[in-house]
Amino acid sequence: MIGVNGARGEAVVLLAGVERRVCLTLGALAEIETALGVQGVAGLAQRMRALSASDLMAVLAALLRGGGEGALADELDRATVSPVEAAGAVALAFAAAADG
């Protein structure tokens, strides 16, 4: 199993059969705000309630980059990640950040 730094808010998720680290870093948060066209936490919270598939992939890619998984983030459109896996990974990353 991949090690995680809980104080940093890292989480391990299973994507396409492989454990990957995700993390909501400040850089990931800025990337997500830009991708979704929002500013601030309130705007982000509102926007996250109704994500399209491409929005979900953009958020997941940012969280993967935050966790040091840039290679997968860059190839996410060709990876065999299910929508359920993607949504679960995003939820777990945000929960880990809240607990971290």
Side-chain angles (χ1 to χ4, degrees), residues 11-12 17 20 22 30 38 47 49 55 57 61 74 89:
V12 172
R20 303 291 183 159
V22 291
V38 299
R47 185 70 174 77
R49 292 188 180 117
D55 292 342
M57 296 305 273
D74 294 341

Side-chain angles (χ1 to χ4, degrees), residues 2 6 17 40 43 72 77 89-90 93 95-96:
I2 295 176
L72 178 60
D77 60 335
V90 168

Side-chain angles (χ1 to χ4, degrees), residues 5 33-34 36 43 86-87 91:
N5 182 343
E33 285 179 338
T34 299
L36 300 182

Side-chain angles (χ1 to χ4, degrees), residues 3 11 19 27 41 70 75-76 78 82 85 88 92:
E19 287 185 335
V41 176
E75 304 267 330
L76 202 50
R78 292 180 292 281
S82 77
E85 287 178 320
L92 190 57

